[in-house]
Amino acid sequence: MLTVHGSDDRIVSVTEASEFAKYIKNHKLCVIEGADHEFTSHQHQLASTVLSFFKLDLKKADDDVSTSNRDHIRSALMIKSRI
């Protein structure tokens, strides 16, 4: 599980996000410096972070899954960014 959080989020503090992360198994918290709750000026960084997470997950799946299932997994994880 991935949580992306902005360091300048005024709705949910970084401290609260860090506490949340402690209770979730297999969780990664990524804090984007200067981003607000809506990532107003950080959309590109948000998209890059999420895509990198899925690419890493895809590589892990490639290592763990038989060749016959790899195309199916790639199709399921394909993401198109509007940015």
Side-chain angles (χ1 to χ4, degrees):
M1 177 173 183
L2 171 68
T3 300
V4 185
H5 196 81
S7 67
D8 291 348
D9 189 329
R10 293 181 185 195
I11 296 171
V12 179
S13 72
V14 174
T15 303
E16 290 174 299
S18 295
E19 285 298 312
F20 172 76
K22 291 178 185 177
Y23 295 100
I24 306 298
K25 255 187 176 180
N26 299 319
H27 184 266
K28 178 179 180 178
L29 172 63
C30 179
V31 177
I32 297 179
E33 288 299 317
D36 61 10
H37 188 74
E38 296 168 345
F39 300 91
T40 306
S41 299
H42 296 82
Q43 293 290 309
H44 182 72
Q45 287 174 286
L46 173 62
S48 295
T49 301
V50 172
L51 289 172
S52 293
F53 178 78
F54 280 112
K55 286 179 183 177
L56 179 63
D57 194 49
L58 181 59
K59 181 175 177 359
K60 184 178 175 184
D62 274 350
D63 293 343
D64 295 343
V65 176
S66 68
T67 304
S68 63
N69 290 326
R70 287 182 183 165
D71 289 336
H72 176 70
I73 291 170
R74 281 191 182 105
S75 296
L77 294 177
M78 288 294 245
I79 297 174
K80 292 184 179 179
S81 175
R82 295 182 298 164
I83 299 173

